[in-house]
Each structure stands twice: as structure tokens, then as C-alpha cells.
Amino acid sequence: MRGVTPTEPQTPTDLPGPRSHGHSHGHSHSHGPPTPVSAHLRKVIAAVLIPFAVAVLAGLVVMWPGGAPPHKHSGLGLDQQTRSGRVVKIEEIDCAKAGATPQQQSPQPGGGPPAAQGPCEKSEIEVTSGPDKGRTFTELVQPSASRHYTVGQEVVLAYAPKAPKNLQYAVTDVDRTLPMALLAGLFALAVVVVGRLRGVFALVALVVSFGVLTLFILPAILHGSDPLLVAVVGGSAIMLIALYMCHGLNARTSVAVVGTLTSLMLIGLLGALFTQWAHLTGDTDDQTGLVHGLYPEIEIRGLLLAGIIIGSLGVLDDVTVTQTSAVWELKEADPAASWRKLYGSGMRIGRDHIASVVNTLVMAYAGASLPLMLLFSIADSGIGRVATSEIVAEEIVRTLVGSIGLVASVPVTTALAALVVSADRHNTKTRAKSGPRARGASRGGRRRRAK
């Protein structure tokens, strides 16, 4: 009995051979391999990107730091020796009897609730790592403290070897290894379940990117290399590894790489211009001051520029890959489309993407700097004065420079992608050879197999 063959549309997506997935989705990241371009175009793209990749590799080799430089621990902030500990006992006692400063119940500014009152908590802490393993000490927690402990809770201890014996250890933080590891596992599982093989490659690229950050970028800056140059070399290495590993070694990914590189150059130039023009030093918090104190040779303003470039890189990848994929899919849907038509259609897609991505970047920076945002509501100097103060202006420059680079990446990448697919004659000839007769033969073959 003959099988019933459904009617198939006469569209270019029925062409035989390797091609892109016929339908694009929300961000236009195709699931199938892109249509290969001609040998001539591959040579042109290689002539642009191979020297760039070689220069990045040479930069990695020349500036490779070989680990963070040694230094004497200052005992301040994060720069202190630490040990593991565990809360073994908690006892409620009177704060006055324990010698703690009594809490004064005074009205809070603005008529808020008074400070918390009640007994103090005397916590017995056991050292669980290091040569003093098994040693115990007590920690007094007042009722107004933001953190209270529970019996059995794992904590992080600050260790000061030169201090008197009874003051050598103090609780500095809680141990968050289990919840953080569980969250990372859930993230990896979600990426693999939804992304499948692409998700696995994305996780591998994430690990490699983190390795470049921790093994090259951070130690190289600590060794005194120019932070901006280190960020450009390291960011370019991350870009090449992540894009080609996640999206394949093909012309479409190469166009996204060129678009990302162009936008990064613009971000670097604008960042350098406005940080200098606005007289931003980059030394606006205690951690930056501590790093500068330990390594005076670090150029703090360059560190600010490096942060702007690295912070923009991840979102740039998404925008450039999306725009390139969109143009490729538009060409697949309409092989006769001109460069102008492809560019116009791609830009209509890109405008929607610009609106969402810029808002994403601004909200990401605002969320990371939420305490600074509170200055707008509590400062007596006025919004204008607060916004132009260095600590807030630094975040504004970081956000706006990154957003300008994102906005510019859309027309740049769209134009590059449209030029590449329009200049390619290889795919046009392939489609011409596989006309209606070839498609009819293909459908006939499928009917014969269905018998």
C-alpha cells in the first residue's frame, strides 16, 4: 500500500545538503549548521582573523604571569589567613556581665524602630583546619548584630598568627560551600538539559573563560602589566574560545567575532576618553585601595577600563551572534535578497534586541551597585551632585560606555553579515542547480521510501 506523503512547501529550505535551520527563534540562534560559504570568502575571513588570533596568542605568551606574585599578608579585608571552623555551642548571657558595650535604646533617624535589644549570644567555636585543629575559642554576638549563628554551622575564621593567643582567631564569615555548589550544579543541569550538546560546549567554554580570567588576566595585572592591554588580550582570547566552541568554526561565527572585536575597540576608546575627561581615578572603595596598597605598581584607572571591557564582553557576544544568525536566516528564506534588503530586515530585528539588551545591561549594573543607588534617595546634596560624584559617576560611565558599544554592535555586525552573504556566489550557484526539478526528485525519493 502506498504511503501518503504530505504536501511540502516549495521553499529554499528544502534544498539538499548542509544548511542552516529553516526557522529562527527568539534570538535567532540557529540549531543546524550554517550554509558553507565559498572558498574565496573563507580565505578573506581567514586573512582577517588568523593574524588577529596569532596576535592574541602572542600576547598571552609574552604577558603570561605564571601565577600571582607573592606578598606579605596585611591582615585586612580579604587579604588575611583563614581557617575553617564550626559552632559547637551557643549560650545566652547578659551583655553587661560579658563585658560587652551595652546597647542604647535610642530613636532611629526618621522615626524608625529602635536598635534591637536582648541578651548576647556566647558562641563556642572549634577550629577544624590547620595546626590548631581542635582548639576552641568564644565569640560574643550582640542582639543588634546582622549575623547570628546556629550550633553545627560551618564558619570561616580569620587567623592572625602574631596576635596574642586568645585573639588569634575570629569569625569573619560563614561557609557557603554547599549552597553555592548546589546552585552551580542546578545551573549546569539546566544548561545541559535545555541546550544538550550546545549546552555542554557552553559549560566547557565557561570553564575555559574562567581559567583565562584567573590564570592570566588577574595575575598579569598584579604583576604590573597594563590592565587595559591585559583586558584586551584576555578578553579577545575568551571571545575566540567561547564563540567558536559554542557556535562552530564557520563564517557565521567569524562575522560575529569581527563585530564583537569592533565593538570592544569602540568601548575601549570611549572608556579611555571619558574616564580621563571625567577625572575618574578608579580608587573608590576599600578593596581597590587595599589592592593598590599591596601592589602600588598597578595602574588603577587602567583597572577601571579593564572592568568595563570585560563586563561588556558577555552581552556583546549575544548581540553579535544573534544579528549574524538573523541575517543568515533571512538569506536562506530569500536567496535573491539584496544587501540593502538584508541589512534593513536585520536592523528591524536588531532594534528590538537593542531595547532589551541595553535595559539588561543597565539593570545588571544597577543591581550590582544598589547601595550606590540609595544615595540618590538619602543624599542632601541633590541628585545632580550625587550623580557626578566619583563613586556614582564611575558606575554611570561604565554603564553608558558599555551600552554605546552594544548599540553600535548591531549595525556593525548586521552590515558585515549582510555583506558576506550577499557577496557569496557559492550558495547562489548551489541553489540554482538544485531548482524545482531537484526538489521534485528529492520528494519522489521520499515517496518511494514510504511505499
Side-chain angles (χ1 to χ4, degrees), residues 5-6 8-10 14 436 438-448:
T5 303
E8 299 182 14
Q10 301 286 338
D14 291 323
R439 290 196 293 271
S442 176
R443 287 197 298 275
R446 287 196 291 269
R447 291 193 184 97
R448 286 192 295 272

Side-chain angles (χ1 to χ4, degrees), residues 78 168 190 298:
L78 297 174
Q168 286 182 333
I298 293 179

Side-chain angles (χ1 to χ4, degrees), residues 424-447:
D424 189 19
R425 299 290 180 265
H426 170 75
N427 296 325
T428 304
K429 293 178 181 178
T430 303
R431 293 188 186 95
K433 292 178 181 178
S434 56
R437 182 178 301 176
R439 290 196 293 271
S442 176
R443 287 197 298 275
R446 287 196 291 269
R447 291 193 184 97

Side-chain angles (χ1 to χ4, degrees), residues 7-157:
T7 303
E8 299 182 14
Q10 301 286 338
T11 65
T13 58
D14 291 323
L15 295 175
R19 59 174 178 81
S20 295
H21 195 70
H23 304 281
S24 61
H25 57 78
H27 273 190
S28 301
H29 295 246
S30 298
H31 297 289
T35 305
V37 298
S38 63
H40 174 70
L41 269 180
R42 288 199 297 269
K43 290 178 181 178
V44 172
I45 294 173
V48 174
L49 288 182
I50 289 179
F52 169 67
V54 171
V56 170
L57 181 61
L60 289 172
V61 172
V62 171
M63 293 191 294
W64 191 263
H71 73 281
K72 293 183 179 180
H73 290 285
S74 65
L76 302 174
L78 297 174
D79 185 46
Q80 53 189 343
Q81 299 184 48
T82 59
R83 301 285 188 269
S84 299
R86 182 188 301 112
V87 181
V88 294
K89 183 179 178 182
I90 297 178
E91 178 185 358
E92 290 189 353
I93 62 173
D94 183 74
C95 292
K97 292 182 180 179
T101 303
Q103 299 291 324
Q104 300 293 329
Q105 185 168 353
S106 57
Q108 298 299 302
Q117 298 295 308
C120 290
E121 295 177 352
K122 183 180 180 182
S123 303
E124 184 175 339
I125 314 295
E126 179 185 4
V127 181
T128 57
S129 67
D132 293 329
K133 183 177 180 180
R135 176 178 165 184
T136 60
F137 66 97
T138 59
E139 185 96 358
L140 193 65
V141 181
Q142 299 198 25
S144 61
S146 58
R147 181 186 296 133
H148 293 262
Y149 308 115
T150 58
V151 175
Q153 185 176 19
E154 301 290 332
V155 293
V156 179
L157 309 177

